[in-house]
Amino acid sequence: MTRLANESTECRAAREELRLAEIDLMRQRERVAELRRRMPPGTVVEDYVFEEGPADLAAGDEPVRQVRLSELFSGPDRPLIVYHFMYGKAQHSPCPMCTMWIDGFNAVVDHVAQNADFVVVAAAGLPALRFHARARGWTRLRLLSAGTGTFKYDLASEDEAGAQDSSISVFILAADGAVRHFYTGHPWMSSDIRERGIDLCSPVWHLLDLTPAGRGDWYPELRYEP
């Protein structure tokens, strides 16, 4: 994998073992992606109502309009990706990890938009959500509040007490105009896997995993000291 001089035989052997393991991992990811693509159309869901402010973050928070889930599709053949932001109700401040995720989404959403629609949904009210978005520079994202509805609860990104969780959901628009649930991924995958379920949606973890120390117990923060 390199042309470095004087590399030891032991190091070359270890690199080759790692290369083969990475090939196996790539093939497994492709197998999982294929299984996901072969999922049948899911259940028809309620045409949930969200609140949305002006598209221009700098234009203030009004007027507020109501928009339905079915209206978030820009075309009949385009999937809709929804990121559930941990902010609002029992989550009184924006989740730093979600914020890191959404920082990345803001940078790549123009590329995603060539193939799918993408929105961020939070339980927080629009003024609080948009205030945080201005501080982060999320000017490319469509931001919605679902605080008064059951959308996040029904998709298990909120519990009865209003505690929030991050999730990714995908919906499709059926020929008859109904919205169907296609996929939802949560950080928690089982009783012993509580945080790794949607790591593929952020490159930060993968970059850290390339380093000798790995990601360790590091967590993102809303701001860092210089």
Side-chain angles (χ1 to χ4, degrees), residues 40-58:
T43 185
V44 174
V45 299
E46 177 185 336
D47 201 3
Y48 297 96
V49 177
F50 307 95
E51 290 187 338
E52 184 175 26
D56 182 0
L57 271 179

Side-chain angles (χ1 to χ4, degrees), residues 119-209:
V119 300
V120 174
V121 173
L126 280 179
L129 174 60
R130 291 170 66 87
F131 179 85
H132 184 59
R134 289 187 195 99
R136 305 303 301 192
W138 294 342
T139 57
R140 295 183 175 90
L141 296 173
R142 192 166 183 182
L143 306 167
L144 306 171
S145 172
T148 59
T150 63
F151 174 78
K152 294 184 96 273
Y153 179 79
D154 292 346
L155 274 296
S157 67
E158 178 181 289
D159 66 15
E160 294 88 345
Q164 304 293 301
D165 200 1
S166 54
S167 304
I168 289 276
S169 293
V170 179
F171 300 90
I172 57 175
L173 193 61
D176 60 1
V179 178
R180 290 184 175 272
H181 174 258
F182 178 75
Y183 173 80
T184 290
H186 297 278
W188 43 269
M189 305 178 75
S190 66
S191 60
D192 61 332
I193 303 175
R194 299 294 298 175
E195 295 184 331
R196 304 293 290 273
I198 60 173
D199 280 10
L200 287 175
C201 296
S202 173
V204 174
W205 304 120
H206 309 292
L207 290 172
L208 294 178
D209 281 342

Side-chain angles (χ1 to χ4, degrees), residues 16-157:
E16 177 63 8
E17 181 182 9
L18 175 60
R19 184 182 71 86
L20 295 176
E22 288 175 335
I23 290 173
D24 289 340
L25 175 61
M26 180 274 295
R27 288 175 174 157
Q28 176 65 6
R29 285 200 307 266
E30 289 296 313
R31 189 182 77 85
V32 171
E34 174 63 22
L35 289 173
R36 190 181 295 118
R37 290 191 295 270
R38 283 165 33 199
M39 288 289 293
T43 185
V44 174
V45 299
E46 177 185 336
D47 201 3
Y48 297 96
V49 177
F50 307 95
E51 290 187 338
E52 184 175 26
D56 182 0
L57 271 179
D61 300 331
E62 295 181 349
V64 174
R65 74 184 189 101
Q66 291 190 333
V67 57
R68 290 190 173 275
L69 181 63
S70 61
E71 296 172 326
L72 299 176
F73 294 84
S74 63
D77 299 320
R78 288 170 59 85
L80 171 68
I81 304 170
V82 178
Y83 182 77
H84 301 247
F85 183 15
M86 290 176 62
Y87 187 23
K89 296 188 178 178
Q91 181 84 28
H92 300 298
S93 61
C95 169
M97 193 172 295
C98 282
T99 296
M100 180 189 75
W101 252 266
I102 300 171
D103 285 344
F105 297 150
N106 185 68
V108 301
V109 70
D110 290 347
H111 303 289
V112 175
Q114 306 311 304
N115 299 282
D117 297 310
F118 182 88
V119 300
V120 174
V121 173
L126 280 179
L129 174 60
R130 291 170 66 87
F131 179 85
H132 184 59
R134 289 187 195 99
R136 305 303 301 192
W138 294 342
T139 57
R140 295 183 175 90
L141 296 173
R142 192 166 183 182
L143 306 167
L144 306 171
S145 172
T148 59
T150 63
F151 174 78
K152 294 184 96 273
Y153 179 79
D154 292 346
L155 274 296
S157 67

